[in-house]
Amino acid sequence: MSGNRDGVFRGREGERELLSGVLDAGTGVVLVDGAAGTGKTRLLTEVAAVAARRGFEVATAQDELDQPFLLARLAERQPDGPTLVVLDDLHLAEPGTLAALRALLPASTHEKVVWLLARRCGEGADRLFAAAVARGAVRIELRPLTDNVVADLVADLAGGIPDHDLRALASTARGNPAELISLFTALREDGQLVITAEHASLRADRSPRRTEALLRDRVGSLSGRARHLLQVASVLGPRFEPGDVAEMLASSTAILLPALDEVIGAGVVTSLEDRLAFRHELVWRLIADSVPPPVRRALHREAGEMLLARGDSASTPPPDTCVPRCPARRRAVDRGTWIRGGESR
């Protein structure tokens, strides 16, 4: 299946091939792990459709409340032919449901039954999955999409070959298909996508309110310590050195390491050769604007004093390509009063 505008399945060819082999065998247990938005439910839906076309009876629960009733029905009868049992969201299942499932799996070893079990990785059903693996179950982990697959999916979603700026914004989704789809849905609703000669770019002449709200929610899901670090880092510019942030926080890089790992893992910040950088100007602006103006001015003064004490220039704008869109900040750059991305007074 090629990618498309809801293209969750870019890059999942290997998983589908493995599942097709299990259906060919007609028996076995397949465990699917993955973070939210990686396409677990979509994968299960597609496999169920393939199995039905091959003559399997497909038994699936509507939700976690329906799971115990489905298991009770399965325990009471012998399947007449090849059967695929699909159970999603097992991280939400009740302990009794998981216990019943652990009992059913060994009993069906010699039957023409394929069990397809999925959960959100690391959030429950650990004993069930461990027991199934010990008995030879096949395990699939849906990881983030690779960079080349993301590029193909972004081209699908944007409707054209993305430029560097659009790819940078897409990188905030960390290779998560659902997050990419949400981002491009917001961009389309904001009218932010421009297609010229089969190339896609972002408009810069309007405020992307839905996109900003989406990114703000992602940042808001971080821990308070991580958000605090980002706010301080934002006054140093779109690119910054971890040691500068540590100094402003009267801390050390070692102590800040967990928060730094969190913001990098969340797709807000990326690591360059010599410093860290916000993945996109829009993310940097949103975080910088979340700091109240009086506090921001005080932070800019402190940053300037820190740089002057070190012998750095506080009157030269940083050599970054992200120039702020806000007119007042542009004037600050023109006046030479920008300190690594922030106004100074």
Side-chain angles (χ1 to χ4, degrees), residues 101 108 239 274 312 319 334:
L101 191 49
S108 64
R239 302 182 183 188
D274 59 342
D312 292 351
D334 294 338

Coordinates of all heavy atoms in Angstrom, one line a residue, residues 101 108 239 274 312 319 334:
L101 N -7.4 -14.6 29.2 CA -6.6 -14.6 27.9 C -5.4 -15.5 28.1 O -5.0 -16.3 27.2 CB -6.3 -13.2 27.5 CG -5.7 -13.0 26.0 CD1 -6.6 -13.7 25.0 CD2 -5.6 -11.6 25.7
S108 N -5.3 -23.0 22.8 CA -5.6 -22.9 21.3 C -4.4 -23.2 20.5 O -4.4 -23.0 19.3 CB -6.1 -21.5 21.0 OG -5.1 -20.6 21.3
R239 N 18.9 28.9 18.6 CA 19.9 27.9 18.9 C 20.6 28.3 20.2 O 20.8 29.5 20.5 CB 21.0 27.8 17.8 CG 20.4 27.5 16.4 CD 21.4 27.4 15.4 NE 20.8 27.1 14.1 CZ 21.6 26.8 13.0 NH1 22.9 26.8 13.0 NH2 21.0 26.6 11.8
D274 N 27.4 21.6 17.6 CA 28.0 22.4 18.6 C 27.0 23.0 19.6 O 27.4 23.6 20.6 CB 28.7 23.6 18.0 CG 27.8 24.5 17.1 OD1 26.7 24.0 16.7 OD2 28.2 25.6 16.8
D312 N 31.6 37.8 25.5 CA 30.9 37.7 24.3 C 30.2 39.0 23.9 O 30.0 39.8 24.8 CB 29.8 36.6 24.4 CG 30.4 35.2 24.5 OD1 31.6 35.1 24.3 OD2 29.6 34.3 24.8
P319 N 24.1 34.3 14.8 CA 24.2 33.9 13.4 C 23.3 32.8 13.1 O 23.7 31.7 12.7 CB 25.7 33.4 13.4 CG 25.9 32.9 14.7 CD 25.2 33.8 15.7
D334 N 17.3 45.0 14.1 CA 17.8 46.1 13.3 C 18.6 47.1 14.1 O 19.6 47.7 13.7 CB 16.7 46.8 12.5 CG 16.0 45.9 11.5 OD1 16.7 44.9 11.1 OD2 14.9 46.2 11.1

